[in-house]
Amino acid sequence: MFLVSGVDLVVACCQTGVIGSFPALNARTTEALDQWLDAIRQGVGSRPYAVNLIVHPSNPRLSQDLDCLQRHRVPLVITSLGAVDSVVEQVHSWGGLVYHDVTNAKHARKAVAAGVDGLIAVSAGAGGHAGTCHPFALIGELQAITDLPIVLAGAISRGREIRAAQALGAQGGYLGTAFIATQESMASDPYKACLLDSQAADVVYTDQVSGVPGNFIRRSLIQAGIDPAQSGEKSLDLHTGDAASEAKAWKTIWSAGQGVGAIGQVHSTAELVQALIKDYQAGAV
Ligand SMILES: Cc1cc2nc3c(=O)[nH]c(=O)nc-3n(C[C@H](O)[C@H](O)[C@H](O)COP(=O)(O)O)c2cc1C
């Protein structure tokens, strides 16, 4: 998650047995990314972890970041906003896997054609740049296109929801928002406190922050002078075109998915994962 996931969160996740991930752009330069990857490998040992790459022409660091991931033989690369076969080929050249974020069948077809190894179905209600498709419909359409593994994202905050994703035939669940309110995340204390106070009804889907629709907490939009009822005229900067203003926006305008209401306190990552496992097991039928 942009400005939220860093070395500490990834290491804590991997130490509990889940696959921690972060966007390469959270390290503010490729040199910093190199150091982060050293620190992560030291912290996670041989356990798998993932790095997210924004595969879009507006990302000037794509090629150098990809070379950096190659030097570190990153086991799993999550691509967003563009499925490009040359990127997939490069990741495969070092034995890495590529899972691609999709919100609809059209993008899934492109990703399959580009040779990805799996899809992340980003459904309605997800944090960040969410889709608008109900998870039942999205998973069904993706399964009609491909036999590749699918991981479901969107408003998953409890173990029983990971079980539900598996009941739909997904390989597993992909969680964002729940991990913002952990001790290891880089989110500010006011952001974490705001999540504890928020419910699904406080989440607004708007394109006003970056030009691409995403889910944000209403209170933080209003504090930033944005009227959630209006449609924006922002350009498509996608964390990179105008990096400084984009980062500033995401620092003060807080993204969350509709599963935010399940967050009751700021836990350590280990406690959160234990709670997820307990709830997953309790939901067994
Ligand atoms: C604050 C925040 C920042 C995010 N930044 C990114 C990002 O940089 N790249 C990306 O692929 N997804 C990003 N996402 C989306 C997540 O990777 C994930 O798909 C989503 O959080 C899952 O839905 P959930 O938040 O309801 O669990 C972000 C989500 C949040 C909440």
Side-chain angles (χ1 to χ4, degrees):
M1 291 175 283
F2 189 49
L3 304 185
V4 171
S5 329
V7 174
D8 292 348
L9 185 56
V10 171
V11 170
C13 282
C14 294
Q15 285 178 345
T16 65
V18 301
I19 300 178
S21 69
F22 72 97
L25 292 170
N26 275 1
R28 298 318 287 178
T29 60
T30 303
E31 293 68 37
L33 176 63
D34 200 49
Q35 291 163 8
W36 281 30
L37 293 174
D38 276 337
I40 287 171
R41 185 44 83 204
Q42 227 177 354
V44 307
S46 59
R47 297 179 187 95
Y49 66 93
V51 180
N52 167 233
L53 286 178
I54 306 288
V55 181
H56 188 271
S58 69
N59 179 0
R61 272 175 46 186
L62 177 60
S63 153
Q64 64 202 62
D65 283 357
L66 186 55
D67 289 346
C68 181
L69 302 197
Q70 176 157 17
R71 285 194 297 280
H72 290 266
R73 304 173 71 84
V74 170
L76 177 59
V77 176
I78 296 166
T79 50
S80 321
L81 301 169
V84 174
D85 48 10
S86 60
V87 171
V88 176
E89 271 167 36
Q90 190 169 342
V91 177
H92 285 170
S93 75
W94 74 79
L97 296 175
V98 179
Y99 274 47
H100 186 67
D101 270 355
V102 296
T103 55
N104 57 45
K106 183 178 155 202
H107 292 150
R109 271 190 210 96
K110 282 191 184 165
V112 172
V116 303
D117 304 286
L119 299 174
I120 300 169
V122 184
S123 64
H129 295 137
T132 53
C133 199
H134 189 283
F136 289 0
L138 183 57
I139 290 273
E141 290 194 11
L142 301 187
Q143 285 169 336
I145 292 171
T146 178
D147 291 332
L148 286 177
I150 298 169
V151 178
L152 181 63
I156 298 180
S157 304
R158 301 176 300 167
R160 70 192 72 178
E161 291 143 8
I162 299 171
R163 180 174 284 281
Q166 290 177 328
L168 289 173
Q171 192 184 36
Y174 186 80
L175 287 70
T177 300
F179 284 86
I180 303 173
T182 56
Q183 288 158 6
E184 291 86 352
S185 97
M186 301 191 299
S188 66
D189 288 342
Y191 186 176
K192 292 178 188 176
C194 176
L195 295 190
L196 305 187
D197 264 1
S198 299
Q199 297 206 298
D202 302 309
V203 175
V204 180
Y205 189 66
T206 177
D207 62 355
Q208 293 210 70
V209 178
S210 64
V212 178
N215 278 316
F216 297 90
I217 300 280
R218 183 190 320 275
R219 195 197 315 167
S220 68
L221 288 164
I222 293 169
Q223 275 166 4
I226 292 177
D227 176 355
Q230 299 295 313
S231 183
E233 292 173 2
K234 287 271 184 178
S235 62
L236 190 78
D237 42 22
L238 304 169
H239 310 335
T240 54
D242 176 3
S245 72
E246 176 80 357
K248 198 165 162 231
W250 282 71
K251 261 212 149 53
T252 52
I253 307 171
W254 299 324
S255 177
Q258 289 175 357
V260 67
I263 303 174
Q265 65 185 97
V266 176
H267 286 290
S268 69
T269 298
E271 287 165 345
L272 171 59
V273 173
Q274 278 313 312
L276 288 166
I277 293 170
K278 203 171 155 197
D279 193 70
Y280 178 95
Q281 289 167 342
V285 283

